[in-house]
Amino acid sequence: MKYLQKCLNSMKIKDINNNVLVVDGASGPLTIGTIKKLQQILNLSIDGICGPEVLSGVKTIMEKPLCSTTIIYVNIYCSNELSTSLFCVIQILCEISLY
């Protein structure tokens, strides 16, 4: 759980209070809520459980050289109003090799 909390913090996916997670290894309500945000980003079933699909998605994201340090903030506008702000990892950028 500590690994997941560290990765969520690295990906700038914050808790419901817009704070980084405390890396304590506990699966409390803030961690569960943040896991749900990640599941939404990864287009997985949203249950807040850190199962194999979540860990696989985190591993894939964190192994990308650019993604390990870069997160894209995407604002979705509807009818010229800001409706939702999502933290999204744009995998196209992760595929770019700078070497």
Side-chain angles (χ1 to χ4, degrees):
M1 188 57 65
K2 285 184 179 182
Y3 169 76
L4 178 64
Q5 290 169 328
K6 288 178 186 178
C7 290
L8 290 167
N9 288 340
S10 294
M11 290 186 280
K12 307 294 184 208
I13 303 173
K14 297 183 179 182
D15 68 20
I16 59 171
N17 300 315
N18 204 31
N19 295 316
V20 296
L21 291 172
V22 174
V23 181
D24 59 5
S27 184
L30 296 177
T31 298
I32 291 170
T34 308
I35 291 170
K36 287 180 179 180
K37 285 184 180 182
L38 175 64
Q39 288 172 323
Q40 182 179 10
I41 291 167
L42 296 174
N43 200 26
L44 300 174
S45 297
I46 300 171
D47 59 10
I49 297 171
C50 179
E53 290 179 325
V54 170
L55 289 176
S56 176
V58 168
K59 183 178 180 216
T60 300
I61 292 167
M62 296 305 292
E63 286 177 346
K64 302 289 184 177
L66 193 58
C67 285
S68 62
T69 57
T70 303
I71 300 297
I72 304 298
Y73 297 89
V74 177
N75 292 320
I76 298 175
Y77 290 87
C78 295
S79 303
N80 295 324
E81 290 184 32
L82 178 64
S83 63
T84 308
S85 183
L86 297 174
F87 299 97
C88 295
V89 177
I90 307 301
Q91 291 192 347
I92 294 170
L93 291 177
C94 300
E95 301 298 329
I96 297 172
S97 174
L98 301 177
Y99 303 102

